[in-house]
Amino acid sequence: MLAIKRQAMASATQILLRPHFLATLTTAASARAYHSKLCKSSDEAIKGIKSGDKLLIGGFGLCGIPENLLKAIARRKDIQQLTAVSNNAGTADYGLGTLLQSRQIKRMMSSYVGENKEFARQYLGGELEVELIPQGTIAERIRCGGAGIPGFYTLTGVGTQVETGGIPIKYVKGSSNIEIASEPRESKIFNGRKYIMEEGITGDYALVKAWKGDELGNLVFKYAANNFNGPMATAGKITIAEVEEIVPVGELKPDEIHIQGIHVHRILKGEKYEKRIEKLTLRRSDSEEQQLSPAMKQRIHIIKRAAREFKNGMYVNLGIGMPVLASNYIDPGITVHLQSENGILGMGPFPTADEVDADLVNAGKESVTVLPGGTCFSSDVSFGMIRGNRLDMTILGGMQVSQRGDLSNWVVPGKIIKGMGGAMDLVAAPNTRVVVTMTHNAKDGSPKILKENTLPLTGTKCVDRIITDKCVFDVIPGKGLLLRELSYGNTVEEIKAATGCAFEIASDVAETY
């Protein structure tokens, strides 16, 4: 019996080793049948989307948005009362903003309103429901939704209106009265710290945009265009992906695919791409800096001092606005790894004109570069780094800071609504040093450094250092503010007059910048 088995195995081996048999197997594998998910047009791809659906819409600002799918929905005026989950809403005239213009959206779930004036107008005017969610929280809620996780606990938002509730979702039309407000969050203590619970997010449809894809639905993103596209692709009951290039099945290497085809139900090659850059920002020469407005010169004065906070080997996040300018003033003798919450580690300075790439923007939607050794990834991965205490320092802008280090920087109720963006996540990381850069006083001369904040909080007792156009304060836990440095031309008495709270003075305080 054993001899018969050995003879059978030997015969089978001889057959398998014959060249024509191996060729037949290879040909069969390459020509195997598969179910194509390819759609001929964006109009075909969005079939089934109806009024009242919840849409998860990828992109960050205008970077990586599914612009062809959004145009297709805008053409369908019968689709109304949508809930749109998106980090923000593009601009007033492009991207998701066009669906706001056509009044097809009932509710936005976003982290940032930004400079979209139509978004802000509809919200403050009571025409639009807006559920504002910290950026890292919305990214993780979507990731959890896609992974079948109903909820999670986070430090982000503890001690703010995110925890206590009351953030306006909808104003009474034509009034500053609140018609719908956010609900309080459940909380729980872990290892002596309070955390709040957030629920996972899924959608009826996810609309995402990738660089390359195949007919099986495998997707590859380019640079920072991964952002929210990655997690959203996993969290839709039906995911529709538009890509710049459809490649043959098998051309994408298994280890370079970002989103596997199991998550994608329909795919199409986008008909036309504009790939607008929301804020085209180029590197300035020294001579150009001298021609800037006094207000911009003041900002650069502050941020050049902030750049001294960098130490060799640091991992640092720069907030939008003034802080991001610090990337242009890093001491060339040290290495600083800049992280941008939209999915970049190793961010470089603003580009020259020939370095501009629409798929490379920072958290402020400005064009940037990536240094050698830099990497790009999705928004949920980015905030995992932040919540996981991987950053040494974050530099943020501020509207108000209290003597205890409480920060307000995201809203003036009923007047200015920017949204919290990623700031609440950044200041909640226990081991990350928080430096706030801002003008010492508001335009009306009122102090921004106060005994108590009057604006809604971004975080409590979270600020370590304040750098203004007049001086540098340290926040000493349990004690208050300590005046460390003066800007040239300022005196201690002038700082006392310009500051809305008492403070101690360091024995070695001097003019240093």
Side-chain angles (χ1 to χ4, degrees), residues 36-49 68-69 72 75-76 205 240 266-268 271:
S36 175
K37 302 175 182 179
L38 188 62
C39 295
K40 295 179 181 178
S41 68
S42 53
D43 292 316
E44 177 189 339
I46 67 163
K47 283 183 178 178
I49 296 179
N68 291 284
L69 293 171
R75 291 192 290 268
R76 289 280 306 279
Y205 290 83
I240 309 169
R266 305 172 192 171
I267 189 169
L268 74 148
E271 291 94 338

Side-chain angles (χ1 to χ4, degrees), residues 46-62:
I46 67 163
K47 283 183 178 178
I49 296 179
K50 61 185 185 303
S51 295
D53 279 346
K54 181 191 282 188
L55 308 183
L56 311 181
I57 300 171
F60 189 91
L62 298 181

Side-chain angles (χ1 to χ4, degrees), residues 310-316 330 334-338 346-347 371:
F310 296 133
K311 301 294 184 290
N312 195 33
M314 269 188 168
Y315 288 88
V316 180
I330 297 173
I334 65 173
T335 298
V336 176
H337 309 279
L338 296 181
M347 183 174 66
L371 298 175

Side-chain angles (χ1 to χ4, degrees), residues 84-103:
V85 182
S86 178
N87 182 63
N88 43 20
T91 58
D93 65 342
Y94 207 68
L96 193 52
T98 59
L99 300 187
L100 290 175
Q101 291 278 13
S102 60
R103 302 298 195 277

Side-chain angles (χ1 to χ4, degrees), residues 103-171:
R103 302 298 195 277
Q104 290 172 267
I105 296 176
K106 177 185 179 182
R107 174 177 286 208
M108 288 290 306
M109 297 175 67
S110 303
S111 82
Y112 196 68
V113 175
E115 290 69 41
N116 189 327
K117 294 182 179 179
E118 181 61 17
F119 190 173
R121 189 197 67 75
Q122 288 188 27
Y123 172 52
L124 295 174
E127 300 173 23
L128 177 69
E129 297 175 11
V130 178
E131 188 176 343
L132 288 168
I133 306 167
Q135 191 177 139
T137 296
I138 195 171
E140 186 65 10
R141 287 179 67 181
I142 294 164
R143 188 198 71 80
C144 285
I149 300 171
F152 63 96
Y153 284 91
T154 178
L155 286 168
T156 301
V158 170
T160 75
Q161 280 188 297
V162 173
E163 178 190 358
T164 61
I167 299 175
I169 291 176
K170 189 175 189 295
Y171 288 98

Side-chain angles (χ1 to χ4, degrees), residues 169-181:
I169 291 176
K170 189 175 189 295
Y171 288 98
V172 175
K173 198 168 184 178
S175 166
S176 60
N177 295 325
I178 299 171
E179 182 176 325
I180 305 173

Side-chain angles (χ1 to χ4, degrees), residues 252-319:
L252 300 177
K253 296 178 181 178
D255 58 353
E256 71 178 355
I257 293 169
H258 294 126
I259 293 295
Q260 298 74 31
I262 193 171
H263 298 295
V264 178
H265 303 83
R266 305 172 192 171
I267 189 169
L268 74 148
K269 181 178 180 181
E271 291 94 338
K272 179 183 178 182
Y273 285 105
E274 291 188 44
K275 296 185 71 170
R276 296 186 188 181
I277 298 174
E278 193 166 337
K279 296 179 183 178
L280 178 60
T281 310
L282 302 178
R283 202 175 307 165
R284 297 189 185 98
S285 64
D286 291 339
S287 60
E288 287 174 319
E289 272 194 14
Q290 299 307 313
Q291 301 169 16
L292 297 174
S293 67
M296 181 55 75
K297 287 181 179 179
Q298 182 186 53
R299 289 158 63 90
I300 290 177
H301 173 66
I302 296 169
I303 216 63
K304 281 184 174 180
R305 169 57 191 84
R308 296 185 197 170
E309 299 294 307
F310 296 133
K311 301 294 184 290
N312 195 33
M314 269 188 168
Y315 288 88
V316 180
N317 178 284
L318 302 178

